[in-house]
């Protein structure tokens, strides 16, 4: 009849094979064979029949040549021309607007006080009391004639000099309103053609106040009174002709250099260019007031005409330098016909106008993008497709050559791309052989794992996860790299959950899975080596810091492996070499560096995720790993805290047993952490009845004095079963809890057995005085048994004897020999050579523990 464990292992075998096959076959059996431009050809493709295939790349290149052969199409831009004219006009507009001081200041005037003068009586009457009946006749006064002149004071000297011998002379202003106020009687007059005004008024004894309206529209723009005489007082006798002071107006201009500074700050012209034109604009104010024609409009018109002349030549962007040189060497023609022959004013303005035009001129013959594109598109459309004729059996592309668009088109048009069947049966056979060989190895060489179906199932799960990782890598590699395979994580987890030898088997298995799942030799080699990378770093760790270092070192090792495999297997001629200090290096450093980065990054992330997953696997499959042992040997563990609080003597005893077990295990290459953890918890059951054990009896009577030997044996025996119950409560792994069951084996409690025989005087059943447990079956549990007995023996012996090295050695030999003679080590794998090493380790540890101390003078007990 087939045993149940065999059936379970067979089911695990079948489930592992089917699951791995399903994962690797996922999405591969119904997908058509795909060929992608830029990828490597997975096989050599040959044309199955003759066909004419268009070379789209060559056709596109011919179209591009035709496109590029069509020159740009130009057109005259009216928008540019208008903008240039606006810029030129803007300079002249600002010149005209900047000439006058704005706002015009108001000239203060002093208004004389009105005085009333009483004229003397021509016929005074000496008689103060004239006859009221007497009558006299008074004649009306004769009018006085007031006159004056309002003029443009060209030389600003306050004198009206229209006949002076000069280029420009004073000129009267026509139409200016003049007001005459005589004792409240107001008369007005308007200046005539030559600026003269005349008013007849009767002044009598009063003075006349004459006011010239300086705001009159007849006053030329930009002119202000040259003095305060626009309001003056004059006394004029009866019937006389009186002349007022001439009222001159002077021009109110902004200085020409200030105008030039303003223009140069607003526009792009320089100060030297703006200054001549500013002088012309200032002079135009005077010329207009004197009735002469202005000159600045002539310069403006000439500038616009010169710009239009250039536009007529159709200026392109590359002709701007030539156009500006042409304008400066052939400036606008400006001729002022009223200038003397020796004057060079028109020449200066002509050069300034040329500079203005040259500054703002822009290319007006621009590329017509729309028409150019239409013509080029027409040229490209006229190109006939370039074709290549393939004959039957002609090779299209060789294996591992980079596919071009022509290759892809030719393959699609001349061959039949059937579905790329993965080969389900063959894949299933390979996986069955792989899993079968792993099972055979475990059954033959690692029975401790093969006998535990949980461990077999865990190994199967890791294999399925590795198959899933391979399949995921195949899917992602187009967008990433072949080196996103998290191979390091599988070597890391297997080495921790099992051991280094099983981890090597996992590395071989991952390599096989990568070979059949990806069909890429480079990935298979990388998978094998990267899975092996963490094994030497994980095997000897004894702290959590060492685990983190193992992750870092394993990831760096994977990056080195990726560098080698990517260079040898995956680098192509298109991966351009680099130059170092000007020397070409035939190494695709960029491609190698990218592969290393992917391998390192994925390895770190996957290892950290695997490290977190270890706790789940430990709990689910009852596995004791180095990480769990580190937690168990932490003295803050709740179970150890309970032992310290309830049974302090037992706690100290357990610590010493742990020290001895750790040293002995290291001496023979056993799991030292496991031995220490087993020692810490082997007497956990004593916390239920701590005072029944001698090491916890501090100043109290021995309770065994009130019990029969058999009752005492029952109490002592119970600490094993109580320890197992507490181990379950605190979720202590079975590998550690096995030390509770085996640390006494099935040995006899000699003290109580002999006491019972002495007291009863008759035969006593020895089995009533045996411990409930089994003999040690591992090296660590056997070491624990010897260390437990040895610590108790030394504590008892050396209470009365001096702990010399010789006496310690005798105790060590006696305890170990007793265990051998009693057959307690019969089921353990320890050899005589290992027992010798264990004796030496025990002796060295105990000698160090019981070393001699200095006797201090006057110290109690010295």
């Amino acid at each position: 009849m087939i045993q149940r464990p065999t059936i379970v292992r067979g089911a695990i075998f079948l489930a592992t094979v089917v699951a791995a096959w399903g994962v690797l076959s996922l999405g591969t059996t119904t997908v058509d064979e795909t060929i992608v431009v830029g990828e490597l050809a997975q096989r050599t493709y040959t044309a199955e029949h003759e066909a004419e295939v268009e070379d789209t790349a060559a056709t596109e290149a011919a179209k591009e040549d035709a496109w590029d052969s069509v020159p740009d199409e130009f057109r005259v831009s009216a928008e540019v021309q208008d903008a240039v004219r606006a810029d030129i006009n803007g300079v002249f507009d600002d010149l005209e607007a900047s000439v006058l001081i704005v706002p015009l200041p108001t000239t203060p005037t002093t208004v004389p006080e009105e005085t009333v003068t009483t004229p003397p009586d021509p016929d005074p009457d000496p008689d103060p009391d004239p006859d009221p009946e007497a009558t006299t006749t008074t004649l009306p006064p004769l009018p006085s004639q007031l006159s004056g002149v309002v003029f443009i004071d060209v030389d600003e000297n306050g004198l009206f000099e229209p006949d002076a011998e000069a280029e420009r002379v004073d000129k009267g202003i026509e139409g200016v309103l003049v007001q005459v106020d005589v004792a409240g009687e107001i008369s007005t007059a308007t200046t005539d053609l030559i600026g003269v005004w005349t008013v007849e008024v009767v002044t009598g004894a009063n003075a006349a106040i004459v006011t010239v309206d300086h705001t009159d529209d007849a006053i030329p723009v930009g002119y202000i009174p040259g003095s305060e005489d626009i309001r003056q007082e004059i006394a004029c006798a009866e019937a006389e002709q009186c002349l007022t002071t001439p009222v001159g107006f002077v021009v109110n201009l902004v200085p020409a250099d200030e105008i030039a500074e303003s223009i140069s700050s607003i526009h792009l012209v320089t100060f030297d260019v703006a200054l001549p034109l500013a002088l012309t604009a200032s002079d135009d104010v005077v010329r207009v007031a004197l009735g002469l024609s202005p000159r600045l409009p002539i310069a403006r018109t000439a500038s616009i005409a010169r710009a239009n002349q250039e536009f007529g030549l159709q200026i392109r962007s590359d002709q701007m330098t030539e156009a500006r040189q042409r304008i400066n060497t052939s400036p606008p023609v400006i001729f002022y016909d009223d200038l003397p022959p020796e004057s060079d004013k028109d020449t200066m303005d002509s050069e300034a106008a040329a500079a203005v035009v040259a500054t703002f001129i822009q290319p007006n013959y621009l590329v017509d993008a729309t028409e150019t594109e239409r013509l080029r598109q027409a040229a490209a459309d006229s190109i006939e497709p370039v074709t290549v004729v393939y004959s039957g059996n002609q090779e299209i592309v060789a294996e591992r050559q980079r596919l071009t668009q022509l290759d892809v088109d030719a393959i699609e048009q001349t061959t039949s791309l059937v579905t790329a069947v993965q080969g389900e049966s063959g894949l299933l056979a390979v996986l069955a052989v792989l899993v079968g060989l792993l099972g055979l190895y475990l059954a033959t060489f690692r029975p401790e794992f093969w006998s535990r179906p949980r461990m077999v199932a865990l190994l199967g799960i890791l294999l399925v996860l590795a198959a899933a990782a391979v399949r995921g890598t195949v899917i992602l590699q187009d967008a990433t790299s072949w080196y996103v395979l998290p191979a390091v994580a599988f070597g890391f987890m297997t080495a921790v959950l099992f051991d280094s030898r099983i981890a090597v088997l996992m590395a071989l298995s991952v390599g096989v899975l990568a070979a059949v799942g990806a069909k890429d030799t480079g990935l298979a080699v990388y998978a094998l080596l990267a899975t092996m990378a963490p094994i030497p770093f994980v095997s000897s760790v004894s702290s959590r810091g060492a685990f983190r270092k193992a992750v870092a070192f394993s990831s760096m090792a994977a990056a080195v492996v990726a560098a080698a495999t990517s260079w040898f297997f995956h680098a192509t001629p298109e991966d351009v070499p680099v130059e170092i200090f000007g020397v070409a290096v035939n190494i695709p450093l960029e491609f190698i560096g990218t592969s290393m980065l992917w391998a390192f990054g994925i390895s770190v992330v996957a290892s950290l995720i695997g490290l977190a997953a270890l706790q789940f696997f430990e709990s689910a499959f009852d596995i004791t790993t180095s990480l769990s042992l580190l937690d168990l040997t932490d003295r803050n563990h709740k179970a150890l805290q309970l032992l310290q609080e309830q049974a302090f003597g037992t706690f100290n005893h357990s610590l010493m047993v742990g020290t001895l077990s750790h040293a002995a295990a290291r001496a023979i290459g056993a799991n030292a952490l496991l031995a220490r953890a087993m020692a810490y918890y082997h007497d956990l059951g004593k916390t239920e009845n701590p005072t029944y054990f001698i090491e916890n009896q501090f100043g109290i009577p021995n309770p065994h004095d009130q019990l029969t030997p058999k009752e005492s044996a029952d109490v002592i025996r119970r600490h094993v079963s109580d320890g197992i119950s507490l181990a379950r409560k605190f979720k202590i792994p079975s590998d550690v809890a096995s030390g509770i069951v085996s640390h006494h084996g099935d040995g006899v409690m000699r003290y109580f057995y002999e006491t019972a025989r002495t007291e009863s005087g008759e035969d006593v059943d020895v089995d009533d005085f045996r411990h409930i447990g089994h003999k040690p079956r591992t090296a660590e549990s056997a070491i624990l048994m010897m260390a437990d007995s040895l610590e108790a023996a030394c504590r008892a012996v050396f209470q009365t004897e001096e702990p010399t090295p010789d006496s310690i050695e005798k105790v060590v030999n006696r305890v170990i020999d007793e265990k051998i003679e009693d057959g307690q080590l019969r089921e353990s794998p320890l050899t005589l050579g290992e027992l010798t090493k264990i004796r030496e380790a025990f002796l060295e540890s105990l000698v160090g523990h019981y070393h001699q101390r200095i006797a201090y003078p006057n110290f109690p007990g010295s």
Side-chain angles (χ1 to χ4, degrees), residues 592-648:
I592 293 174
T594 303
S595 302
M596 293 179 67
L597 287 176
W598 277 111
F600 179 81
I602 291 297
S603 297
V604 170
V605 174
S607 296
L608 293 177
I609 294 175
L611 189 62
L614 286 177
Q615 293 183 350
F616 168 76
F617 288 128
E618 290 171 352
S619 176
F621 294 91
D622 189 23
I623 299 174
T624 305
T625 67
S626 298
L627 290 174
S628 60
L629 291 175
L630 290 174
D631 292 332
L632 290 170
T633 54
D634 185 349
R635 295 188 185 181
N636 292 316
H637 194 281
K638 292 182 179 180
L640 291 182
Q641 290 289 322
L642 175 67
L643 184 62
Q644 184 176 11
E645 293 170 2
Q646 299 296 327
F648 188 72

Side-chain angles (χ1 to χ4, degrees), residues 137-352:
T137 301
T138 302
L139 296 176
L142 297 176
S144 302
Q145 189 178 53
L146 299 178
S147 63
V149 63
V150 179
F151 69 100
I152 294 175
D153 190 359
V154 175
D155 52 7
E156 301 183 6
N157 60 1
L159 301 177
F160 182 52
E161 299 173 327
D163 299 326
E165 293 183 359
E167 182 181 352
R168 297 178 183 176
V169 297
D170 298 340
K171 178 185 178 182
I173 305 175
E174 180 184 3
V176 179
L177 178 66
V178 179
Q179 177 181 291
V180 179
D181 184 354
V182 179
E185 293 291 333
I186 296 177
S187 303
T188 60
T190 302
T191 58
D192 60 10
L193 184 63
I194 61 174
V196 176
W197 60 271
T198 303
V199 175
E200 288 187 354
V201 293
V202 177
T203 60
N206 299 308
I209 297 175
V210 178
T211 303
V212 176
D213 185 4
H214 67 283
T215 64
D216 196 296
D217 291 341
I219 306 299
V221 176
Y223 279 79
I224 61 174
S227 66
E228 297 180 355
D229 293 334
I230 61 171
R231 184 177 177 89
Q232 50 187 290
E233 180 181 347
I234 185 169
C236 188
E238 182 179 345
E240 286 189 359
Q241 291 186 351
C242 299
L243 294 175
T244 62
T245 303
V247 177
F249 282 81
V250 298
V251 68
N252 184 32
L253 297 174
V254 176
D257 57 347
E258 293 184 14
I259 299 173
E261 286 286 353
S262 175
I263 295 301
S264 63
S265 65
I266 298 173
H267 301 280
L268 298 176
V269 297
T270 63
F271 175 83
D272 294 337
V273 170
L275 184 59
L277 298 176
L279 291 171
T280 300
S282 299
D283 187 59
D284 278 353
V285 177
V286 178
R287 291 177 61 82
V288 171
L290 295 179
L292 301 175
S293 60
R295 292 172 177 167
L296 193 62
I298 299 174
R300 180 199 294 261
T301 301
S303 299
I304 296 298
R306 186 66 185 85
N308 291 336
Q309 181 182 357
E310 283 299 317
F311 288 147
L313 299 177
Q314 297 182 341
I315 309 171
R316 295 199 303 266
S317 298
D318 56 346
Q319 296 173 336
M320 283 302 301
T321 302
E322 179 184 351
R324 290 192 174 98
Q325 291 177 349
R326 196 164 50 240
I327 293 169
N328 289 322
T329 55
S330 179
V333 177
I334 297 177
F335 178 69
Y336 302 139
D337 55 1
D338 59 343
L339 288 177
E342 65 274 8
S343 175
D344 57 357
K345 173 61 179 173
D346 50 3
T347 302
M348 294 175 58
D349 285 3
S350 178
E351 293 175 351

Side-chain angles (χ1 to χ4, degrees), residues 84-96:
V84 172
R85 296 188 192 103
D87 289 337
I88 295 173
N89 281 321
V91 174
F92 288 96
D93 289 342
D94 288 342
L95 281 169
E96 293 174 351

Side-chain angles (χ1 to χ4, degrees), residues 131-137:
D131 185 1
E133 295 182 357
T135 59
T136 59
T137 301

Side-chain angles (χ1 to χ4, degrees), residues 453-570:
R454 286 189 177 186
M455 299 300 290
V456 178
L458 177 58
L459 186 60
I461 290 174
L462 292 177
L463 285 173
V464 174
L465 291 176
V470 170
R471 185 58 193 155
T473 301
V474 173
I475 295 173
L476 295 176
Q477 68 90 16
D478 285 336
T480 54
S481 168
W482 278 119
Y483 300 96
V484 297
L485 178 67
V488 169
F490 293 101
F492 186 92
M493 289 191 294
T494 308
V496 173
L497 294 171
F498 293 88
D499 57 23
S500 57
R501 287 183 288 174
I502 302 297
V504 172
L505 284 181
M506 176 58 69
L508 294 172
S509 301
V510 175
V512 172
L513 292 173
V516 299
K519 295 184 178 180
D520 185 273
T521 307
L523 181 64
V525 173
Y526 171 76
L528 171 64
L529 298 179
T531 308
M532 294 181 65
I535 297 175
F537 301 112
V538 176
S539 299
S540 60
V541 295
S542 59
S543 66
R544 291 191 177 273
F547 271 101
R548 289 189 289 270
K549 290 181 181 178
V551 170
F553 292 148
S554 301
S555 301
M556 288 189 285
V560 174
V561 174
T565 54
S566 64
W567 185 8
F568 185 80
F569 291 103
H570 297 140

